Amino acid sequence: MTDALPACETLLLERRGRHLHVTLNRPETRNALSAGMVDELGAVIDAVAGDRGLQSLVLRGAGGTFCAGGDISEFRSVYQAGARPEDGPDPIAVSNRRYGRLMARLNGLPQTVVAVIEGAAFGGGLGLLCGSDVAICRADARLALSETGLGLLPAQIAPFVVQRIGLTQTRRLALTGARIDGEEAAQLGLVHYACADAEALEARLAAVLHDIGRCGPAANAATKRILLDSLTLPLDVVLDQAAAAFAKAMRGAEAREGIAAFIERRAPYWRED
């Protein structure tokens, strides 16, 4: 179990059984990603990554908006601070790279990440949803890779969007800044479900969490690792590692419980229903 969750000023945290609900909570900025929010999200991820009693992390935004992207006021303060130093790394690049590290940690989190999209998911907000395993949105949500419209780049987001929907569709979204709705996002594979209204959204979320709850937490974590490794490692390496992971699972307490529960026609201990 997670010993303690970090104190947060920009996030609301609520653990409900085996699911942690994380709400971006800067509604006055449409939940724009400040440096503080990025740090706090990273701290939450670090706190829960080793908790196999936790099956999912649900990420959503307060006030009817998921995330409007990066905090523009912070962008202005960075470039107004002065010219790039002659020696050492550019502080703008250092700041930008921090978000990429957050994305990589979210993407690789052993728990199943569920993104719930209402209102807008622009720029970095769209990036966050591309780090999720399951994404649910309102059909009337608005999504965009909006950086190029500001003369900026989706620098730390682009690789995760490409993994999500492929190069050709990412090119279209990134190089036009086109805004799409939840229905089109589902057609592209950015999200898995587009729901007609708030009631349908909550019902779908409940169904997804119920399904996640049927799976062994350690089995899901190991399966997710295999899936992600298949994107970057040679096939033989992935299959060798997967065989070792399968053997470890087969010899572990979770598989023994799952198999025994199946034979005895009962629910395993991780099931909440």
Side-chain angles (χ1 to χ4, degrees):
M1 299 288 287
T2 303
D3 293 331
L5 293 170
C8 296
E9 296 182 358
T10 68
L11 306 174
L12 299 176
L13 307 178
E14 181 183 2
R15 182 158 183 164
R16 305 177 194 170
R18 293 180 177 273
H19 309 286
L20 178 65
H21 293 252
V22 179
T23 302
L24 309 181
N25 191 37
R26 299 183 71 219
E28 71 281 0
T29 67
R30 297 196 299 162
N31 302 317
L33 287 159
S34 64
M37 182 181 282
V38 169
D39 288 344
E40 289 182 357
L41 276 171
V44 170
I45 289 169
D46 290 344
V48 305
D51 184 353
R52 289 299 164 271
L54 186 70
Q55 291 179 305
S56 75
L57 185 150
V58 180
L59 186 62
R60 65 191 312 171
T65 295
F66 182 63
C67 177
D71 191 325
I72 300 300
S73 64
E74 289 191 356
F75 290 174
R76 293 189 65 179
S77 65
V78 168
Y79 73 67
Q80 289 174 348
R84 174 179 175 174
E86 294 182 3
D87 299 317
D90 189 323
I92 297 177
V94 172
S95 176
N96 183 250
R97 187 65 182 87
R98 287 169 60 206
Y99 187 67
R101 284 192 287 274
L102 172 68
M103 283 295 309
R105 287 149 72 195
L106 178 67
N107 192 60
L109 188 68
Q111 290 82 4
T112 303
V113 178
V114 182
V116 182
I117 314 302
E118 300 170 276
F122 294 157
L126 190 145
L128 283 178
L129 85 85
C130 286
S132 71
D133 300 295
V134 183
I136 307 165
C137 78
R138 284 277 299 266
D140 59 0
R142 294 166 294 133
L143 304 91
L145 282 174
S146 52
E147 288 86 351
T148 51
L150 300 172
L152 296 172
L153 291 65
Q156 303 297 306
I157 301 165
F160 299 94
V161 185
V162 171
Q163 286 183 7
R164 189 77 162 203
I165 60 173
L167 179 60
T168 183
Q169 292 294 354
T170 303
R171 280 178 163 178
R172 176 175 73 90
L173 295 182
L175 303 178
T176 66
R179 294 190 180 189
I180 62 174
D181 63 16
E183 294 283 1
E184 184 173 355
Q187 292 170 8
L188 294 177
L190 269 172
V191 303
H192 301 94
Y193 305 101
C195 303
D197 53 31
E199 182 178 0
L201 186 81
E202 298 302 330
R204 177 59 68 181
L205 173 60
V208 168
L209 294 182
H210 178 269
D211 286 345
I212 293 170
R214 297 173 61 237
C215 304
N220 263 11
T223 296
K224 186 170 178 178
R225 185 71 267 154
I226 294 169
L227 298 176
L228 293 174
D229 284 346
S230 70
L231 296 173
T232 59
L233 298 178
L235 179 59
D236 283 346
V237 173
V238 173
L239 295 178
D240 287 344
Q241 292 181 354
F246 183 85
K248 182 178 179 180
M250 181 69 81
R251 296 180 185 279
E254 190 173 279
R256 288 198 299 270
E257 166 67 7
I259 293 169
F262 179 82
I263 293 172
E264 296 165 13
R265 299 188 178 184
R266 60 173 176 83
Y269 66 77
W270 59 80
R271 289 274 296 272
E272 295 180 340
D273 58 330

